[in-house]
Amino acid sequence: QVQLVGSGGGSVQAGGSLRLSCAASGDPYSRNCMGWFRQAPEKEREGVAVIYRVLGTTYYADSVKGRFTISQDNANNTVYLQMDSLKPEDTAMYYCAATELKCGSWSLGRARDFGYWGQGTQVSVSS
């Protein structure tokens, strides 16, 4: 079993920064790929960034490239999402997720592959 606890959301003005954290526990081989997805009201859930735990390889949605950075601290079983230059369109509920599958750019569009999810943390960006 894998448990994920996301935190770090909040309200900021456009151009500001936030860092999300996802504390993971359980079988590490069940969370080979970890990532962040987001869902805004009346919109579909979309992949933001994923990281392949073994190699540290990262993949990003085009909408956040150059602004967001996903990283991991394997010693503490934590994945981070540093969000800089935030825009109002980044406003959403952000979910941490994990899967035993290998990561790739395709992972961003395959939320259904992720079997473990955190509870979500709200990010609100005002203009």
Side-chain angles (χ1 to χ4, degrees), residues 16 23 54:
V54 175

Side-chain angles (χ1 to χ4, degrees), residues 14-25:
S17 298
L18 285 172
R19 189 176 80 155
L20 306 183
S21 299
C22 177
S25 62

Side-chain angles (χ1 to χ4, degrees), residues 12-82:
V12 297
Q13 290 190 327
S17 298
L18 285 172
R19 189 176 80 155
L20 306 183
S21 299
C22 177
S25 62
D27 181 12
Y29 297 103
S30 294
R31 42 186 172 90
N32 283 326
C33 178
M34 293 189 65
W36 291 92
F37 290 76
R38 67 186 182 187
Q39 188 166 18
E42 301 182 357
K43 291 190 175 181
E44 292 187 357
R45 188 168 297 193
E46 63 172 341
V48 176
V50 296
I51 185 166
Y52 183 38
R53 182 178 59 84
V54 175
L55 298 179
T57 316
T58 58
Y59 303 89
Y60 297 91
D62 288 342
S63 58
V64 306
K65 278 181 183 176
R67 300 188 299 120
F68 291 11
T69 304
I70 189 170
S71 62
Q72 61 185 1
D73 179 350
N74 288 336
N76 292 307
N77 295 317
T78 302
V79 171
Y80 302 98
L81 184 68
Q82 177 67 40

